[in-house]
Amino acid sequence: MQTLATDRVIIVGAGLGALYAALKLAPHPVVMISPEVLGEGASSAWAQGGVAAAMDAADSPDSHAADTVKAGAGTVNPAVADLVTREARDYILDLTTMGTPFDRTEDGGYVLSREAAHSFARVVRVKGDQAGAEIMAALIAQVRNTPSIQVLEGTMARDLEVTDGRVTGVVIQEAGGERSGPVLLRGAAVLLAGGGSGGLYALTTNPPRIRGQVIGMAARAGALIADAEFVQFHPTAMDVGEDPAPLATEALRGEGAILINKHGERFMQAIHPDAELAPRDIVARAIYAQVKADNRPMLDTRDVLGEAIKTQFPAVAEYCVRNGIDPAVDPIPIAPAAHYHMGGIATDTQGRATLDGLWVCGEASSTGLHGANRLASNGLLEALVYARICAEGMAQTLNHVAEAVPLELTFPDGGMPPAPEAVQSLRQTMTQNVGVVRDRAGLTRALATIAALEVAHGDSPSFLNMCATATLIAAGALLREESRGAHERSDFPEPADGPGQRSEMYLTDALAVRAQVCKELS
């Protein structure tokens, strides 16, 4: 295998956390591994709601932290919640300085939306539902103008090199078709910021490339994984047959939109005192029940927004138009879809994984902030906070480098892309058996199917990474014999007694669970 050595920090990913970390590392040279052109295919760019921060004079970081802990259903690390929320306002101001055009009031304040499980309106947004895209655009402009940052667009990571327990390099290949041979890139340090795993599900709001590969890659290298079973299903993905499913932002419900079924019944009022603004897991399960009952759940914005939805929430309006829906006249059909992975590569409060030389930020990480149920719009905030923390931590380990020679890559021929039919089978298995509501029978079927797919298609490292993450999610869900937050077991419908416990698991542990299940089924 061709090997390239560089003094640059290697950042795997090109979303919000990756971009922000690269900027905070400047002027130390950085190389970013980006499967797409910057700004395309990153989950951050698809985020609609915004960034949660206590910006109102009546609000406080303490209140924000308390809401985060409460939403997380007993498994949030309070120290991490305090750490992340305490400086949230500073990140909004920093992004503003970098050129993010946050929505502002006539007196210059920030327009704030209230989302599910928040006790205050504290979600800072851009053009209604354009927060992710606009923040990314501002950061990309900064990155393009920073000489110390080199972006390798059209490349993807597939393996980590580990030497004596330390991550020393990343194996990369061309992303287009994934048919190129590999190149080993060794750098000064490695930051994984490559997103979560929502695309492992057939019904998802995530970009097509976000299928757990980064989490799986770290797990295969021996990193500890935490809270793998906690996958958040967004309640209001648009049920219009698109893959991925367009998202109808939670901010619509913050503005007063309601949930109804095909009979015109508003069903959330009987389920939770906060009705449509109940925690996401509760709303998702209520909508899922309506889907299962063939009651066609819908999001109704007609009375509260009417024609204004088309200017205040342009992304949602565009999704509606291309699917023949006029949201000023028609309610929007919805269904829960895999949206955010609370679990991921376990990190300490400095963003370090259990493998030396490896840092992680964003959705690929599991910091302890989200617990069993992420508080709405905390995802972008966490990515920003830990991107800076990781950048500062890595900087302390680096030798001074005035300038790094730009990398020139030539990939050899070869490589094995994942078989499309195998990927689709894996995604269907996850949606059918490891979805909104789970049970032992479905989880054992999932693990057996994943094992068979891995045997049949294990010549693709990218597919092995997907299977590793899927195995960790399903095994974690099988072992957690309770219902907590986004993890709902119909055969264990109540939370376990006592305080909630986070889960920790190595891939070897999950594979042992899978092997036992396969033995029982044989």
Side-chain angles (χ1 to χ4, degrees):
M1 186 187 307
Q2 179 187 353
T3 300
L4 287 179
T6 178
D7 290 322
R8 295 175 180 268
V9 170
I10 302 170
I11 298 180
V12 176
L16 182 66
L19 294 167
Y20 201 67
L23 290 168
K24 294 304 177 185
L25 277 163
H28 190 94
V30 164
V31 58
M32 294 178 61
I33 310 302
S34 174
E36 315 278 356
V37 174
L38 278 187
E40 298 180 7
S43 292
S44 304
W46 292 29
Q48 292 182 2
V51 184
M55 305 295 288
D56 190 296
D59 197 1
S60 70
D62 287 345
S63 176
H64 186 181
D67 287 347
T68 298
V69 170
K70 182 178 179 181
T75 56
V76 171
N77 182 333
V80 174
D82 177 69
L83 168 70
V84 172
T85 59
R86 187 173 60 235
E87 299 176 359
R89 179 184 180 88
D90 293 340
Y91 289 91
I92 300 300
L93 299 178
D94 193 25
L95 291 176
T96 302
T97 301
M98 289 183 174
T100 303
F102 289 113
D103 294 347
R104 308 298 282 266
T105 61
E106 291 183 2
D107 62 3
Y110 291 88
V111 174
L112 303 174
S113 295
R114 185 183 173 203
E115 295 187 353
H118 285 276
S119 56
F120 282 88
R122 65 165 67 97
V123 179
V124 186
R125 65 192 200 189
V126 187
K127 299 179 183 176
D129 55 11
Q130 302 286 296
E134 291 293 335
I135 295 171
M136 287 283 287
L139 294 183
I140 287 169
Q142 295 276 336
V143 165
R144 296 288 193 200
N145 290 319
T146 303
S148 61
I149 302 173
Q150 180 180 3
V151 183
L152 299 179
E153 294 176 325
T155 61
M156 64 175 291
R158 71 176 216 188
D159 290 293
L160 293 176
E161 180 192 54
V162 181
T163 306
D164 296 328
R166 180 180 179 82
V167 174
T168 51
V170 180
V171 179
I172 61 175
Q173 64 185 44
E174 285 185 310
E178 300 175 11
R179 294 187 182 277
S180 75
V183 171
L184 172 59
L185 182 60
R186 289 185 174 137
V190 176
L191 171 65
L192 298 183
S197 57
L200 281 174
Y201 288 79
L203 185 54
T204 180
T205 63
N206 282 198
R209 283 197 187 274
I210 308 299
R211 290 179 176 160
Q213 296 96 323
V214 170
I215 297 170
M217 180 173 66
R220 289 175 59 222
L224 182 66
I225 307 300
D227 294 343
E229 63 272 26
F230 292 130
V231 177
Q232 186 169 73
F233 298 87
H234 198 291
T236 54
M238 292 175 59
D239 187 14
V240 290
E242 291 190 26
D243 180 23
L247 183 64
T249 174
E250 197 161 278
L252 291 165
R253 283 175 280 143
E255 294 292 317
I258 60 173
L259 296 170
I260 61 172
N261 59 27
K262 67 181 182 182
H263 306 295
E265 299 166 343
R266 186 179 174 188
F267 52 86
M268 280 306 304
Q269 289 174 308
I271 295 173
H272 194 276
D274 291 335
E276 283 79 8
L277 290 178
R280 279 186 176 176
D281 61 307
I282 294 172
V283 181
R285 285 193 290 273
I287 292 173
Y288 180 75
Q290 294 289 322
V291 171
K292 285 296 188 182
D294 195 29
N295 280 338
R296 190 61 164 164
M298 295 173 282
L299 180 67
D300 190 351
T301 68
R302 294 173 295 181
D303 290 342
V304 70
L305 286 169
E307 290 289 336
I309 189 176
K310 299 172 184 178
T311 54
Q312 293 183 27
F313 297 92
V316 175
E318 179 187 339
Y319 302 149
C320 287
V321 167
R322 75 185 184 211
N323 286 285
I325 300 167
D326 182 349
V329 176
D330 307 308
I332 304 167
I334 54 169
H339 181 63
Y340 191 94
H341 196 173
M342 280 81 71
I345 305 160
T347 65
D348 62 15
T349 54
Q350 300 305 306
R352 295 173 300 201
T354 54
L355 293 173
D356 194 19
L358 183 64
W359 284 259
V360 194
C361 71
E363 195 175 346
S365 69
S366 181
T367 65
L369 175 68
H370 303 306
N373 194 36
R374 177 182 67 117
L375 184 66
S377 291
N378 266 357
L380 294 183
L381 174 61
E382 180 196 43
L384 291 165
V385 172
Y386 273 89
R388 177 188 59 77
I389 288 173
C390 288
E392 292 176 350
M394 285 187 289
Q396 293 174 10
T397 71
L398 301 173
N399 296 322
H400 175 70
V401 178
E403 185 177 358
V405 177
L407 294 171
E408 295 185 7
L409 288 178
T410 301
F411 290 98
D413 294 332
M416 182 61 66
E421 65 274 14
V423 174
Q424 191 57 27
S425 179
L426 177 63
R427 298 178 69 205
Q428 290 289 350
T429 294
M430 294 298 286
T431 287
Q432 292 169 5
N433 299 303
V434 200
V436 179
V437 179
R438 305 157 172 181
D439 61 25
R440 180 175 178 80
L443 293 169
T444 54
R445 282 196 301 271
L447 287 165
T449 300
I450 296 165
L453 287 169
E454 193 172 293
V455 169
H457 303 279
D459 48 0
S460 167
S462 180
F463 189 65
L464 287 178
N465 291 335
M466 296 181 206
C467 287
T469 303
T471 297
L472 284 155
I473 295 170
L478 182 63
L479 294 178
R480 186 173 286 275
E481 295 183 335
E482 64 166 347
S483 291
R484 185 176 297 275
H487 169 71
E488 176 76 7
R489 286 281 299 263
S490 60
D491 47 353
F492 294 93
E494 299 298 327
D497 293 338
Q501 298 291 324
R502 297 186 66 196
S503 68
E504 293 184 338
M505 186 183 298
Y506 290 100
L507 179 57
T508 51
D509 302 323
L511 291 175
V513 171
R514 193 177 79 181
Q516 180 62 34
V517 163
C518 291
K519 182 179 179 180
E520 292 171 358
L521 292 176
S522 63

